[in-house]
Amino acid sequence: MTGEFKFGTFTGEETMSFDVHTDDDLNPGDVLRAVYAALREKGYNPINQLVGYLISGDPAYITSHKQARSLIRRVERDDLIEELVSFYLKE
């Protein structure tokens, strides 16, 4: 890169780009399966823990094992519920 940086502005010929990573590529079904597996590995009842999280929104219901807690928080709870209802009611 050529140019100089002054007061927060790059002065040069090249345009800098910034790519924001979005969580649009996260599939709620895949997230639920991954979190379920992590909860099961740690000896929890995955159904009870997931229901507790979905009702309350409290991430303490989800283990941090295999980053399950941070993974599930990247998906909106309403998207997780929609995935579950759609799967259950699918004909």
Side-chain angles (χ1 to χ4, degrees), residues 25-67:
D25 56 340
L26 285 179
N27 178 305
D30 293 341
V31 169
L32 285 167
R33 283 185 280 279
V35 171
Y36 180 94
L39 287 164
R40 192 163 187 177
E41 274 184 33
K42 291 301 286 182
Y44 295 107
N45 180 324
I47 301 299
N48 289 347
Q49 298 306 113
L50 284 165
V51 168
Y53 172 72
L54 291 171
I55 289 173
S56 71
D58 185 351
Y61 283 99
I62 307 300
T63 181
S64 60
H65 178 64
K66 293 191 173 182
Q67 288 77 41

Side-chain angles (χ1 to χ4, degrees), residues 46-86:
I47 301 299
N48 289 347
Q49 298 306 113
L50 284 165
V51 168
Y53 172 72
L54 291 171
I55 289 173
S56 71
D58 185 351
Y61 283 99
I62 307 300
T63 181
S64 60
H65 178 64
K66 293 191 173 182
Q67 288 77 41
R69 186 177 299 149
S70 64
L71 178 63
I72 202 164
R73 292 182 78 189
R74 292 171 51 194
V75 180
E76 294 292 328
R77 283 187 302 145
D78 60 332
D79 291 337
L80 296 170
I81 293 169
E82 181 181 344
E83 177 71 19
L84 292 167
V85 171
S86 296

